[in-house]
């Protein structure tokens, strides 16, 4: 067997097809043998057999043949798995990596475009707000233009009670000046 030919996609496909076909043919032959041997054992009587003993022996031997046939079919399926795994994990890897790199670059480009659009939008909004604040006119945006303050209320009598005059001296004096009834002496 040429290993270089085996490592090509066509060579691996041919090898796995050949092995699969061989194993499935063997499995079908084992099943046919199982039927023939079961029938022959079931009809062979041994001295001292009960009526069902021959069929039980045939069933036991036939079961072993069935297990062999199942294992051969499983091996044939494994050959198909070899080819699928070879294609997926060896042959298609470079193309998958290239597609992944292209998608990554596209995402990076889309992110950069989105950032540029957002930056342009923010810059435009800030310039518009600054222009509105500097010009004194602009859109009626409560975040840009503060609402006008309500007018101050007009009182009829602005000072109904005379305000106390501040003392001429700057110190506040003694506490007894403010509260004459308090005695501060120790008793």
């Amino acid at each position: 067997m040429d290993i270089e030919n085996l490592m090509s996609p066509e060579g691996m496909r041919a090898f796995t097809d050949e092995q699969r076909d061989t194993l499935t043919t063997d499995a079908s032959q084992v099943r046919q043998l199982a039927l023939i041997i079961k029938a022959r054992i079931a009809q062979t009587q041994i001295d001292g057999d009960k009526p069902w003993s021959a069929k039980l022996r045939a069933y036991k031997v036939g079961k072993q043949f069935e297990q062999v046939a199942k294992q051969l079919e499983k091996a044939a399926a494994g050959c198909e798995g070899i080819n699928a795994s070879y294609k997926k994990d060896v042959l298609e890897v470079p193309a998958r990596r290239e597609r992944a790199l292209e998608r990554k670059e596209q995402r990076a480009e889309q992110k950069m475009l989105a950032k540029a659009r957002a930056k342009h939008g923010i810059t435009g909004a800030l310039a518009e707000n600054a222009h509105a604040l500097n010009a004194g006119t602009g859109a009626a945006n409560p975040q840009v233009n503060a609402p006008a303050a309500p007018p101050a209320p007009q009182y009829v009598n602005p000072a109904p009670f005379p305000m106390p005059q501040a003392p001429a001296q700057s110190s506040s004096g003694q506490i007894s000046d403010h509260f004459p009834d308090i005695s501060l002496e120790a008793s």
Side-chain angles (χ1 to χ4, degrees), residues 1 13-31 68-69 71-77 79-80:
M1 172 177 290
R13 177 78 260 176
F15 171 74
T16 54
D17 283 348
E18 179 185 343
Q19 295 301 314
R20 183 202 61 221
D21 292 343
T22 302
L23 290 169
T24 53
T25 303
D26 290 347
S28 65
Q29 289 175 358
V30 167
R31 287 189 193 280
V68 169
Q71 292 298 322
L72 288 170
E73 289 168 347
K74 215 174 188 181
C79 287
E80 280 301 307

Side-chain angles (χ1 to χ4, degrees), residues 3-14 83 86 91:
I3 195 70
E4 293 300 322
N5 185 31
L6 180 63
M7 294 305 289
S8 70
E10 298 83 20
M12 184 63 74
R13 177 78 260 176
N83 187 54
Y86 179 72
L91 298 178

Side-chain angles (χ1 to χ4, degrees), residues 1 7 12-13 19 29 37 41 75-76 92-93 99 113 122 129 132 163 176 180 184 187:
M1 172 177 290
M7 294 305 289
M12 184 63 74
R13 177 78 260 176
Q19 295 301 314
Q29 289 175 358
I37 291 174
I41 291 174
E92 296 175 356
V93 168
R99 285 193 307 269
L113 288 174
I122 291 170
N129 290 343
M163 298 298 288
S176 59
L184 296 176
S187 24

Side-chain angles (χ1 to χ4, degrees), residues 26 40 58 75-76 82-83 91 97 102 104 110 121 136 151 155 167-168:
D26 290 347
R40 192 162 192 184
I82 289 171
N83 187 54
L91 298 178
R97 286 184 180 162
E102 288 174 5
K104 185 177 180 180
Q110 289 172 352
Y155 295 112

Side-chain angles (χ1 to χ4, degrees), residues 114-132:
K115 284 181 183 179
R117 283 193 300 266
K119 186 177 180 181
H120 178 66
I122 291 170
T123 306
L126 288 175
E128 182 181 320
N129 290 343
H131 177 70

